[in-house]
Amino acid sequence: MESKVVTGRERKTSRKQILEKKKAIDEIVKAASSPDKDHLASFPPFRHYQRNGLSVYLESGYGDKLSSPVKQYIQNLLKANMEGPYGSEWPTEEKVKRREMVAPEARYIFVNEDLNANENQATGVETERASTDVIHGRGSIVGFLHYRFTVEEEIPVLYVYELQLEPHVQRKGLGKFLMQLIELIAHKNQMGAVVLTVQKENLFALNFYTSKLRYMISTISPSRVDPLIRLEKSYEILCKAFDHEAKTTLQISFDIKVLTTELVKASVGLHQSSTNFRWIFTSEKRLAGNADGMGNIRKEELYQASAVLKDGFGKVWNCELLASIIDEEIRSHAIDMIITFDNYGVSGHPNHRDVNLGIRKLLHETAERDIEAWELISNNILRKYSGPVDICLSLVFATIYQNGELHCLLNEHPNRSYNAMAQHRSQWIWFRKLFVLFSSYTYMNTLKKIN
């Protein structure tokens, strides 16, 4: 067994690189947060929004320069929009938000109604709204976006603290317009991602961010950090990453309509399927691979794991816990299809089989919901190592099913599976190389519908 001796010079160089990276990130955030910078100035077309019968204009603001009427307006709108979703937590949260809104690092985009184009539509908030000259005397504020530049997991990010609009300007495309602007500002200022917090009870907001804007639950969200506290926390942290480092650190790659449990690790044929399916690595986020004593390395190679469910032939996973975790994912992301192992789990791995049992338990308990589930058929030992020959065998086998309950997925680019598996360096040893080369799963995967 070879071992590498790290010299003092190498340690010093590594520490120097870390410090230089931290310094560079701090300088990026400092430059973006400069009080002399008006971020709207870089995007003149976004100064006005005139669509769907709505005409508004945008202006910048700063937390430590807010007038008293504007502060009062922000408090009123926050209470009107957020007291419901926060419930009993609102009195405490309101105090926190009051402190946050006047912080020097707080940046604002105020949405001002163009009174020449819009008729005044009174609302409960509007009666206590700041006067029409709160900004430049041209119109009343009808909403605001509060954001900051900060660092999360050593990634510079633009964090959206609040996006609040009055009811009469909602559902007119304005929220999406503002978030598109925020993403442009983040790009312009070298941020790695846009991050935001949303209350679980605020289903409209959750659907808006995840479905319409394609934001994802971040790895720093409580439900990702520790599944055991997911039910205790009333919020999720969402993000949209822009570069590779931010994506691997802050988000999990997934298609919001398709869920696979741990399939990517066992079925290399589906790891890089040519059928244009994109797979959620849901359980890989929290399942700490510990086979062959490589757990710590694999956690770094895949995602940070919470170690709630240990991977290994001697480990048994609780089916009720699995069902609960998967159910949370389905509800959070409006997932309507699940793809998982069958009851043999490809290789007979007990954890793969536990996942199948967990999903079947979930389907039994939620039979009234329209969730479609498919399982990967495990081949016998001869077919399993027949390589591309199994393509013909699978197609013949599929002819037995004429009712659409069996689908064969052909991998037209098996070399991609080889290259994808090679990225898992700690597992890329001689017998796995042979497995990828001769495994029928590299070339063809057969899915059967779970009834």
Side-chain angles (χ1 to χ4, degrees):
M1 180 177 178
E2 296 183 1
S3 61
K4 181 180 178 181
V5 178
V6 180
T7 65
R9 177 178 295 181
E10 288 175 329
R11 283 195 295 269
K12 186 176 180 180
T13 301
S14 177
R15 186 171 184 275
K16 182 180 179 181
Q17 291 173 341
I18 293 173
L19 293 175
E20 287 177 347
K21 180 181 178 181
K22 183 179 184 302
K23 182 180 179 181
I25 291 173
D26 290 342
E27 288 177 353
I28 289 173
V29 172
K30 183 179 179 181
S33 304
S34 172
D36 301 323
K37 189 177 248 185
D38 181 0
H39 294 289
L40 285 178
S42 300
F43 307 100
F46 281 82
R47 286 282 190 180
H48 290 82
Y49 179 84
Q50 290 181 306
R51 299 175 197 169
N52 303 319
L54 183 65
S55 180
V56 298
Y57 62 91
L58 310 182
E59 290 194 349
S60 297
Y62 305 90
D64 55 353
K65 297 179 181 179
L66 300 177
S67 66
S68 295
V70 172
K71 291 179 186 177
Q72 188 61 52
Y73 171 78
I74 291 174
Q75 292 175 19
N76 291 340
L77 186 56
L78 279 170
K79 183 174 182 178
N81 287 353
M82 301 307 298
E83 187 173 18
Y86 275 104
S88 60
E89 297 178 5
W90 174 246
T92 301
E93 288 298 326
E94 186 177 27
K95 294 178 182 178
V96 173
K97 290 181 182 298
R98 285 184 179 182
R99 291 194 299 268
E100 292 175 342
M101 75 177 187
V102 296
E105 60 270 23
R107 298 291 176 267
Y108 285 89
I109 297 175
F110 288 106
V111 182
N112 303 279
E113 195 171 30
D114 186 346
L115 296 182
N116 294 324
N118 297 321
E119 294 183 1
N120 191 20
Q121 303 179 47
T123 68
V125 176
E126 192 171 1
T127 59
E128 300 182 74
R129 183 191 295 172
S131 61
T132 56
D133 61 346
V134 284
I135 301 295
H136 287 308
R138 295 189 297 173
S140 300
I141 304 176
V142 293
F144 68 90
L145 192 151
H146 168 194
Y147 66 98
R148 303 185 189 186
F149 298 98
T150 185
V151 178
E152 293 286 352
E153 300 295 313
E154 300 182 2
I155 302 293
V157 302
L158 186 156
Y159 208 118
V160 177
Y161 273 59
E162 303 289 346
L163 172 53
Q164 302 294 341
L165 300 174
E166 292 195 23
H168 75 278
V169 298
Q170 294 177 11
R171 300 179 185 271
K172 295 187 177 182
L174 180 56
K176 184 177 181 179
F177 177 81
L178 289 169
M179 289 304 298
Q180 289 173 337
L181 172 58
I182 278 296
E183 290 169 18
L184 289 173
I185 292 174
H187 270 292
K188 180 76 173 177
N189 290 275
Q190 304 179 60
M191 298 295 112
V194 173
V195 180
L196 57 92
T197 302
V198 63
Q199 291 296 114
K200 291 181 180 179
E201 291 295 322
N202 196 344
L203 299 180
F204 174 76
L206 270 174
N207 181 66
F208 170 70
Y209 289 117
T210 58
S211 296
K212 292 186 177 181
L213 300 183
R214 309 298 288 179
Y215 277 69
M216 302 177 182
I217 295 182
S218 175
T219 56
I220 62 175
S221 189
S223 65
R224 300 298 192 197
V225 174
D226 186 352
L228 292 179
I229 66 171
R230 62 171 56 226
L231 298 178
E232 299 175 11
K233 299 297 181 180
S234 60
Y235 65 91
E236 294 283 6
I237 298 176
L238 309 182
C239 77
K240 180 184 285 188
F242 306 129
D243 58 50
H244 177 71
E245 184 179 8
K247 287 179 180 178
T248 56
T249 304
L250 294 175
Q251 77 179 31
I252 304 168
S253 177
F254 64 80
D255 184 320
I256 209 162
K257 290 297 180 184
V258 182
L259 168 65
T260 181
T261 51
E262 205 205 5
L263 196 54
V264 63
K265 189 165 72 175
S267 176
V268 295
L270 288 179
H271 191 107
Q272 279 288 340
S273 173
S274 63
T275 56
N276 293 325
F277 278 68
R278 294 170 60 210
W279 308 99
I280 303 181
F281 304 151
T282 303
S283 56
E284 282 292 355
K285 165 64 180 67
R286 57 174 69 85
L287 304 184
N290 197 37
D292 301 324
M294 303 295 285
N296 291 331
I297 297 175
R298 289 175 185 168
K299 282 193 293 183
E300 293 297 325
E301 291 175 342
L302 295 173
Y303 304 102
Q304 293 181 345
S306 64
V308 173
L309 301 173
K310 290 285 189 179
D311 182 13
F313 276 90
K315 306 291 183 179
V316 177
W317 289 350
N318 186 298
C319 294
E320 292 186 0
L321 176 59
L322 283 169
S324 175
I325 291 173
I326 297 168
D327 185 45
E328 180 77 13
E329 299 298 326
I330 291 172
R331 293 178 183 274
S332 297
H333 303 300
I335 292 164
D336 56 16
M337 181 182 292
I338 302 173
I339 300 177
T340 186
F341 300 102
D342 65 3
N343 59 8
Y344 184 70
V346 177
S347 59
H349 197 299
N351 300 152
H352 301 169
R353 303 173 76 170
D354 290 339
V355 169
N356 178 271
L357 292 175
I359 287 177
R360 285 181 175 273
K361 179 176 178 60
L362 172 66
L363 294 175
H364 178 72
E365 295 175 348
T366 59
E368 73 283 357
R369 284 155 58 184
D370 187 19
I371 301 173
E372 195 171 306
W374 298 77
E375 59 187 11
L376 176 67
I377 293 180
S378 299
N379 294 330
N380 60 47
I381 192 70
L382 294 177
R383 288 186 58 192
K384 185 175 181 179
Y385 295 107
S386 61
V389 175
D390 190 64
I391 294 176
C392 297
L393 297 175
S394 295
L395 293 174
V396 171
F397 181 70
T399 59
I400 300 174
Y401 292 83
Q402 301 294 331
N403 54 2
E405 295 191 353
L406 200 73
H407 285 294
C408 294
L409 307 181
L410 175 65
N411 187 356
E412 297 176 355
H413 304 282
N415 60 304
R416 293 181 182 175
S417 296
Y418 192 92
N419 293 333
M421 193 64 187
Q423 303 307 309
H424 302 266
R425 295 182 178 87
S426 70
Q427 303 181 64
W428 198 228
I429 50 184
W430 68 270
F431 65 85
R432 286 199 173 93
K433 293 178 181 179
L434 291 176
F435 176 82
V436 175
L437 187 61
F438 292 103
S439 172
S440 59
Y441 296 108
T442 300
Y443 307 95
M444 176 70 82
N445 292 273
T446 303
L447 298 180
K448 182 181 178 182
K449 191 172 184 179
I450 301 177
N451 294 315

